[in-house]
């Protein structure tokens, strides 16, 4: 079945540093999504990518949909303490249904 | 309500008992998803409902798990004869379906099987 490999598993950074995380897959996806989950809450969508090569920003966040449609990355610039949380990538095939496959998550810790 | 709601927020049960978890999607959302998140893990797809179509049950881990969606709105996930390995957070999400893929998640139900 489809699987997403997300890395790194965790990151410990200093406030103000930039962060980069990525996802790869052996399968092609038509949509890539990046979510953030705060403790005790459900994931919240950060960025959605619909076209190969697409680069999209949301404030300090930037994500790209890989040309091969098998990978995506998320960058966070000038990290702040509230960036702490778990970041998930997710892929959707989008054909005949909207089954979504999630990566295992990247746990981000920011030291003030 | 404004968002997806789930109940109960926490459930402690004994091994072998049945449990029912409820999800109220955002009004007007035709698609509804259930996921399971074990401690420190990612989200595991369980089941997906879209309108009146047959649900995609491909993620249900065993026949002890079932879900239904009544009237195209509220959904119930039932786990029969619970086992300790069923302990996890069960997350529900809804979306506009074919009109929109963005999934909005509820806060989850934390299930602990003793």
């Amino acid at each position: 079945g489809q699987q997403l490999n997300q890395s790194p598993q965790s990151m410990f950074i200093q406030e103000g540093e930039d962060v980069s995380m990525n996802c790869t897959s052996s399968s092609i996806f038509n949509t890539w999504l990046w979510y953030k989950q705060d403790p005790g809450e459900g994931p919240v969508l950060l960025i959605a990518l619909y076209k190969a090569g697409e680069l999209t920003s949301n404030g300090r966040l930037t994500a790209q949909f890989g040309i091969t449609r098998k990978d995506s990355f998320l960058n966070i610039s000038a990290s702040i303490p509230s960036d702490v949380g778990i970041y998930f990538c997710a892929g959707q095939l989008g054909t005949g249904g909207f089954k979504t496959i999630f990566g295992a998550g990247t746990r981000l810790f920011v030291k003030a | 309500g404004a968002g997806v709601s789930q109940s109960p927020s926490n459930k402690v049960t004994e091994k072998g008992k049945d449990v029912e978890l409820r999800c109220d999607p955002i009004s007007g959302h035709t698609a509804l998803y259930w996921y399971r998140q074990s401690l420190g893990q990612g989200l595991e797809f369980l089941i997906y409902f879209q309108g009146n179509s047959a649900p995609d049950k491909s993620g249900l881990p065993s026949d002890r798990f079932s879900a239904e969606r009544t009237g195209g709105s509220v959904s119930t996930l039932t786990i029969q004869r619970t086992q300790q390995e069923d302990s996890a957070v069960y997350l529900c999400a809804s979306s506009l379906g074919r009109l929109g893929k963005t999934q909005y998640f509820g806060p989850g139900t934390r299930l602990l099987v003793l």
Side-chain angles (χ1 to χ4, degrees), chain B residues 26-44:
Chain B
I26 293 173
S27 178
H29 280 194
T30 61
L32 187 147
Y33 309 75
W34 283 99
Y35 297 89
R36 177 169 68 176
Q37 185 175 28
S38 300
L39 186 62
Q41 301 297 314
L43 278 66
E44 175 188 4

Side-chain angles (χ1 to χ4, degrees), chain A residues 31 35 37 40-43 45 50 88 92 94 97-100 102-104 107, chain B residues 33 35 37 40-43 45 48 56 58 97-98 101-103 105-107 110:
Chain A
T31 301
Y35 285 86
Q37 185 178 30
E41 299 183 10
L45 182 68
Y50 301 108
F88 292 102
Q92 289 183 336
F98 297 94
K99 182 176 177 179
T100 306
F102 281 79
R107 286 150 187 76
Chain B
Y33 309 75
Y35 297 89
Q37 185 175 28
Q41 301 297 314
L43 278 66
F45 168 80
Y48 156 68
D56 179 347
S58 59
R98 290 180 173 82
K101 298 180 180 180
T102 301
Q103 295 176 34
F105 283 82
R110 284 146 192 78

Side-chain angles (χ1 to χ4, degrees), chain A residues 15-67:
Chain A
E15 182 179 3
E17 290 184 359
D18 297 342
V19 173
S20 183
M21 57 192 79
N22 68 83
C23 267
T24 61
S25 172
S26 58
S27 303
I28 290 175
F29 290 103
N30 291 327
T31 301
W32 281 92
L33 307 164
W34 285 92
Y35 285 86
K36 182 192 178 195
Q37 185 178 30
D38 291 326
E41 299 183 10
V44 174
L45 182 68
L46 298 175
I47 292 179
L49 303 160
Y50 301 108
K51 296 181 181 179
E54 179 180 354
L55 182 70
T56 297
S57 294
N58 178 6
R60 295 179 294 107
L61 278 62
T62 303
Q64 184 157 28
F65 192 147
I67 290 292

Side-chain angles (χ1 to χ4, degrees), chain B residues 12-78:
Chain B
V12 180
T13 189
E14 294 179 346
K15 177 182 174 181
K17 295 283 182 67
D18 298 350
V19 295
E20 285 190 352
L21 312 180
R22 177 187 169 105
C23 173
D24 283 88
I26 293 173
S27 178
H29 280 194
T30 61
L32 187 147
Y33 309 75
W34 283 99
Y35 297 89
R36 177 169 68 176
Q37 185 175 28
S38 300
L39 186 62
Q41 301 297 314
L43 278 66
E44 175 188 4
F45 168 80
L46 297 178
I47 188 169
Y48 156 68
F49 297 89
Q50 168 57 51
N52 295 321
S53 302
D56 179 347
K57 303 180 181 180
S58 59
L60 294 178
S62 77
D63 58 8
R64 296 187 295 105
F65 287 72
S66 63
E68 62 177 22
R69 189 179 185 192
T70 54
S73 180
V74 172
S75 176
T76 302
L77 176 69
T78 301

